[in-house]
Amino acid sequence: YQVDAFTDQRFAGNPAAVCVLDAWLPEATMQAIAAENNLAETAFVVPNGERYGIRWFTPTAEVALCGHATLASAKVLLDHYHPLRTLQHFDTRLSGPVSVAKEGEWYVLDFPADMPGLVAAPQGLFDALRTQAVPVFKGKTDLVVLYPNEQAVLALSPDIRALERIDARGVICTAPGDEVD
């Protein structure tokens, strides 16, 4: 299946492939399927009683967690395989249990929390962001840089090459906003 998540229009949103299997395929086979699909993620799901195991692959690697491909997997399972269910639980290999509830036409994700803690900024972070020091938090894999206001975030012009050298999967810059954060 190919599902466009986060939209109600065809050929919009965030596409994900979903492969419903009876048993796990070899990793190399799942990776090859994901490469051929050439979407941000391909989800593979395998039944385990009422639950399903789920794994996500990009065209080049397996990832620990993927929201839109989980949403797509739940839609496929709840619409085509278990239409009387309104809740689908998944067991992940790397991120713990996740679930998706169907509420009318909406699907609601319940993912594990990744509560970041205050840390010292990694060397080179503020040079890469081209800003002065502000509080930095770290979750499992990402850094969260907290600016004092929305204008500070809008003014960012980071050195992307320098950011690639920072030891983190991603760097998230945020602030209290005028209307939203």
Side-chain angles (χ1 to χ4, degrees):
Y1 299 87
Q2 182 171 326
V3 177
D4 293 324
F6 307 126
T7 186
D8 60 358
Q9 299 175 18
R10 291 181 193 267
F11 312 115
N14 198 354
V18 178
C19 299
V20 182
L21 308 171
D22 291 328
W24 293 114
L25 298 171
E27 279 189 29
T29 302
M30 290 189 288
Q31 187 62 69
I33 292 168
E36 185 162 309
N37 285 335
N38 199 30
L39 296 170
E41 271 83 18
T42 296
F44 296 88
V45 295
V46 172
N48 182 15
E50 299 253 328
R51 303 174 73 85
Y52 276 77
I54 188 168
R55 292 174 71 181
W56 309 271
F57 288 79
T58 72
T60 60
E62 183 172 10
V63 295
L65 189 63
C66 178
H68 79 284
T70 303
L71 184 70
S73 298
K75 178 163 180 51
V76 167
L77 293 172
L78 295 174
D79 286 2
H80 300 288
Y81 289 79
H82 308 289
L84 299 179
R85 285 188 196 166
T86 58
L87 180 65
Q88 184 59 63
H89 295 286
F90 294 98
D91 296 310
T92 73
R93 213 179 103 211
L94 303 170
S95 298
V98 299
S99 63
V100 179
K102 185 175 182 180
E103 297 179 5
E105 296 298 315
W106 292 90
Y107 294 83
V108 179
L109 299 165
D110 185 9
F111 273 21
D114 181 6
M115 298 304 295
L118 187 63
V119 297
Q123 184 174 350
L125 177 64
F126 294 122
D127 289 337
L129 292 172
R130 298 178 177 144
T131 62
Q132 300 296 317
V134 292
V136 176
F137 300 83
K138 186 170 191 313
K140 291 179 185 172
T141 59
D142 295 320
L143 293 173
V144 178
V145 183
L146 182 60
Y147 287 91
N149 55 54
E150 183 176 318
Q151 291 72 32
V153 175
L154 293 171
L156 287 173
S157 178
D159 179 342
I160 299 301
R161 297 258 187 240
L163 274 177
E164 289 174 347
R165 294 189 291 273
I166 301 299
D167 185 22
R169 181 188 70 167
V171 176
I172 300 162
C173 297
T174 190
D178 295 332
E179 296 183 30
V180 296
D181 295 342

